[in-house]
Amino acid sequence: MSEELKTIKELADELGVNKQNVQYHIKSLPNKERLKNEKGIILLTIDEQNFIRAKILKISTDKVLTDKVLADKVLTDKVLADKVLADKVLADKVLADKVLTDKVLADKVSTDKISTDKVSTDKENNFLIEKIKIQEEQIRDLKEQRRNGKEQLDIKDSQIAQMQNLLDQQQRLALQDKKLLDEYKSEINDLKALKMPSQETEFKHLDNQYKDEVNALKEKLENLQEQIKEQKRIEEQEKPRKWWGLWRK
């Protein structure tokens, strides 16, 4: 058997797919006549092998791009959710500051009242004490909300890290596919004199299309990394101040 001829199984093993996948693309070959060995097993020529390789490689590249689009959507949804959560944390901090300020003023009024007016009634004192208790309860509730908000932000950071790992894996797969395509291109150039004009045009088109897709993937990944850095910077700037720091003031 010539080393240039391969069976369906040999080509499937080489490409890491099943035989049915290769058989499906055989139907698209321009030449409907198949070579067979002495056992009646179909043999594929170099041109037929390269044709099927290009078809399978294009399907693999399209899947990587689809997964990338889905990952971009998940990340966009996460950024929006983080913004809503950050706005809520900021609003809670403003409310906590107001409650704390009211408590300080109430304490000052209570102290001044006791020192300057010894004839205050028990009813007025009880009212002030009850108001202070309510405000202290509100402060405890706000502190609990802040803790919950921090836990949610930590979960989101973990999701971002997982998504980044997924994108890194997809990029490595894309680079492996490009390397494989370059090897196929080298084989095609060696057999250029044997190839049909239509096949040569198709391979050049696939090569240019793959380069454009790889460049687009790189650009999207860079934009994604910039968005993650910008979000972390915003989160660092918007971290709420410690409530006890305000108390000491």
Side-chain angles (χ1 to χ4, degrees):
M1 181 187 302
S2 172
E3 293 183 355
E4 296 181 351
L5 300 179
K6 290 185 179 180
T7 65
I8 293 176
K9 183 178 185 308
E10 290 173 341
L11 183 58
D13 291 342
E14 176 186 325
L15 298 178
V17 299
N18 54 42
K19 292 172 57 178
Q20 289 76 10
N21 198 335
V22 175
Q23 290 171 341
Y24 173 80
H25 291 293
I26 287 178
K27 300 176 182 178
S28 302
L29 290 172
N31 183 13
K32 302 301 180 182
E33 296 295 331
R34 304 272 76 83
L35 296 176
K36 295 183 180 180
N37 60 15
E38 63 277 7
K39 296 181 180 180
I41 298 176
I42 294 176
L43 299 176
L44 299 174
T45 64
I46 286 294
D47 289 341
E48 291 171 340
Q49 294 172 32
N50 289 335
F51 179 85
I52 294 173
R53 283 193 187 99
K55 290 288 186 181
I56 293 177
L57 182 59
K58 183 178 184 301
I59 292 175
S60 175
T61 303
D62 291 343
K63 182 179 183 303
V64 171
L65 291 176
T66 300
D67 293 342
K68 178 67 170 56
V69 171
L70 179 59
D72 290 343
K73 183 180 183 302
V74 171
L75 187 60
T76 299
D77 293 342
K78 188 266 173 191
V79 171
L80 292 176
D82 284 350
K83 185 178 184 303
V84 172
L85 180 60
D87 291 342
K88 182 179 182 302
V89 171
L90 181 60
D92 291 343
K93 178 182 181 301
V94 173
L95 178 59
D97 292 343
K98 182 178 183 303
V99 170
L100 188 60
T101 301
D102 291 343
K103 181 181 182 303
V104 172
L105 292 176
D107 290 343
K108 185 177 185 303
V109 169
S110 179
T111 302
D112 293 342
K113 185 72 174 177
I114 292 173
S115 62
T116 59
D117 189 6
K118 299 298 183 180
V119 295
S120 297
T121 63
D122 292 339
K123 183 178 179 179
E124 291 174 339
N125 289 334
N126 292 336
F127 174 78
L128 289 174
I129 292 173
E130 187 64 25
K131 183 177 180 181
I132 290 173
K133 289 181 179 179
I134 293 174
Q135 290 173 342
E136 289 175 343
E137 183 67 25
Q138 290 175 341
I139 290 175
R140 285 194 293 269
D141 292 341
L142 288 173
K143 288 169 61 179
E144 182 65 23
Q145 291 177 5
R146 287 184 182 180
R147 283 194 293 270
N148 294 336
K150 184 178 183 303
E151 291 175 358
Q152 293 178 4
L153 288 174
D154 291 339
I155 292 173
K156 294 299 182 181
D157 290 339
S158 176
Q159 292 175 348
I160 286 179
Q162 293 176 358
M163 188 63 63
Q164 184 64 42
N165 289 335
L166 177 61
L167 293 176
D168 291 341
Q169 292 175 1
Q170 292 176 341
Q171 186 181 31
R172 287 195 294 271
L173 289 174
L175 292 175
Q176 292 175 359
D177 291 342
K178 182 178 183 302
K179 181 179 179 180
L180 185 60
L181 183 62
D182 291 338
E183 294 175 356
Y184 296 159
K185 182 179 177 182
S186 177
E187 294 178 6
I188 293 171
N189 289 334
D190 293 338
L191 300 171
K192 186 174 181 180
L194 301 178
K195 288 188 291 189
M196 295 183 294
S198 60
Q199 290 178 327
E200 181 178 4
T201 302
E202 180 177 358
F203 285 128
K204 288 182 179 179
H205 173 71
L206 287 174
D207 183 42
N208 293 333
Q209 180 182 5
Y210 182 83
K211 289 180 179 178
D212 292 340
E213 292 173 347
V214 169
N215 291 333
L217 278 173
K218 289 181 179 179
E219 183 178 356
K220 287 184 178 180
L221 183 60
E222 291 175 354
N223 292 336
L224 178 61
Q225 292 173 341
E226 289 296 327
Q227 291 175 4
I228 293 174
K229 291 179 181 178
E230 181 65 16
Q231 182 64 24
K232 286 187 176 293
R233 185 184 66 79
I234 293 175
E235 290 176 354
E236 288 293 329
Q237 291 178 350
E238 294 183 352
K239 281 185 178 178
R241 297 170 58 190
K242 301 293 184 178
W243 69 270
W244 54 83
L246 294 176
W247 178 264
R248 288 199 297 272
K249 292 183 180 179

